[in-house]
């Protein structure tokens, strides 16, 4: 990791006082919080509703704002061993393999931001975080579904245990709700705050197929094998949808995310792996897309037991959510998808959950006052995460323009940016490629801001 430059001066800091912290949910955000908090001296219990901690999912992007924190948590070296480091992203029109532009990734992004960038299978990141959490002494209790928080939002949660329906209460000094889009803690906050009716998923009209195609299936196709072998992501833009694709797991898998119009019957309540997609519908929507795309899709699904790919084509609805009035009530804080679920268009969902975890831990190295720490956490994170979530919505519109004048203007701007050797300078509506927005997403060091600006932050939240 020759591009890693981290001059963060506060890595030695420990908790002002060791707290008993309850984390609800053992996803990426919950495990990151458990690791960050336990490393700084807290006693952590993680309550997870699933009976097993499964390494599920597909590819996710790790941008510099995430890898910078993973380095400070001591896991980046292992993470990078399982990360595909891409040299760039090829931007293409949907109906051919003509390249409109090529956005550089590594090593240029690493040199700019002092931290690497890449893509990794979510299961690999999850496994690494889980191992580190256990090594740092966190207690993880599976089959513990949190069904309620204390009515006054004191640090106390009620669980339903396993299949017995036994009820058990857990009490600590602070509760961190990392229980995802269906967060019971979020729902209780909304009811208490009187905004439960407004806190509902807003269908975007988009849905996504996520495919993992094993190398074995395409090893006799020179064109597809060349795409798998290249350290380049492919981004195809078309009417009503787009595709992002890249290699994973040392080029044993090809990860494809295919955004398309949602069906009326697609689940719009749970932003999870909700339904099994229909192969014929998928092939029909992409029938006019590039020959290479159509060949990739012909290999989707029906993986053999000996292969790593998915045996089914999974589809889920993509929903947006209005910003919450608050992420904090009493001694309870929401993090990750529980408070800022993000559409995938700027690839910042996991990274922002990791940022939440890091800021919580950093704040508690500055004070032992839980409510003050949570107020500063919200001050550092809420506006930033909500801006990034909003940018994802706008980016989706730009990528999905129908053929016509607006699309032609967008494509011309992308080509012009290439001619000027400024791949992200043009105003194309694509925030992921916008250099100024990249600086905001990837360049801000939220841990440094929390500690370095503690005086002014804590004074502001006290006044507020």
């Amino acid at each position: 990791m020759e591009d890693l430059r981290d001059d963060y001066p506060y890595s030695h800091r420990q908790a002002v006082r060791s707290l008993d912290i309850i984390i609800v949910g053992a996803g990426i955000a919950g495990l990151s919080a458990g690791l960050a908090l336990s490393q700084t001296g807290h006693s952590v219990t993680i309550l997870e509703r699933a009976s097993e901690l499964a390494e599920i999912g597909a590819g996710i992007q790790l941008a510099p704002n995430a890898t910078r924190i993973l380095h400070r948590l001591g896991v980046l070296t292992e993470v990078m061993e399982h990360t595909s480091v891409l040299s760039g992203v090829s931007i293409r029109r949907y109906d051919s393999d003509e390249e409109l532009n090529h956005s550089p990734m590594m090593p240029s992004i690493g040199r700019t931001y002092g931290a690497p960038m890449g893509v990794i299978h979510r299961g690999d990141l999850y496994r690494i975080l889980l191992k580190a959490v256990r090594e740092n002494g966190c207690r993880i209790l599976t089959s513990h579904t949190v069904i309620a928080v204390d009515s006054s939002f004191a640090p106390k949660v009620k669980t339903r245990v396993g299949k017995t329906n036994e009820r058990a209460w857990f009490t600590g000094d602070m509760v961190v709700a990392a229980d995802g889009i269906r967060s019971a803690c979020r729902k209780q906050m909304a009811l208490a705050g009187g905004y439960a009716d407004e806190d509902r998923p807003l269908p975007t009209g988009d849905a996504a197929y996520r495919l993992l195609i094993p190398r074995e299936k395409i090893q006799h196709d020179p064109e597809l094998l060349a795409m798998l072998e290249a350290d380049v992501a492919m981004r195809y833009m078309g009417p009503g949808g787009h595709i992002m694709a890249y290699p994973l797991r040392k080029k044993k898998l090809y990860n494809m995310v295919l955004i398309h119009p949602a069906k009326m019957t697609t689940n719009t309540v749970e932003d999870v792996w909700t339904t099994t997609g229909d192969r014929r519908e998928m092939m029909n929507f992409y029938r006019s897309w590039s020959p290479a795309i159509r060949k990739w899709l012909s290999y989707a699904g029906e993986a053999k037991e000996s292969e790593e790919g998915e045996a089914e084509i999974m589809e889920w609805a993509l929903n947006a959510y209005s910003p919450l009035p608050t992420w904090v009530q009493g001694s309870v804080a929401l993090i990750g998808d529980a408070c800022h679920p993000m559409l995938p268009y700027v690839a910042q969902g996991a990274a922002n959950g990791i940022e939440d975890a890091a800021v919580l831990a950093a704040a508690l190295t500055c004070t032992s006052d839980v409510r003050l720490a949570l107020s500063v956490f919200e001050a550092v994170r809420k506006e930033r995460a909500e801006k990034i979530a909003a940018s994802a919505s706008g980016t989706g519109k730009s990528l999905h323009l129908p053929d016509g004048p607006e699309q032609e203007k967008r494509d011309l701007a992308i080509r012009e940016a290439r001619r000027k050797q400024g791949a992200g300078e043009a105003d194309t509506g694509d925030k992921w490629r916008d250099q100024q927005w990249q600086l905001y997403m990837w360049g801000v060091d939220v841990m440094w801001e929390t500690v370095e600006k503690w005086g002014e932050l804590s004074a502001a939240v006290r006044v507020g």
Side-chain angles (χ1 to χ4, degrees), residues 249-268:
R249 287 187 168 167
K250 302 186 186 301
K251 301 176 182 176
K252 292 180 181 177
L253 293 172
Y254 202 61
N255 182 83
M256 301 184 74
V257 181
L258 303 100
I259 311 298
H260 59 282
K263 303 190 296 289
M264 292 299 293
T265 55
T266 302
N267 191 317
T268 59

Side-chain angles (χ1 to χ4, degrees), residues 234-250:
M234 302 291 179
R235 196 176 200 182
Y236 290 85
M237 305 177 297
H242 79 278
I243 294 173
M244 189 74 177
Y246 47 77
L248 284 177
R249 287 187 168 167
K250 302 186 186 301

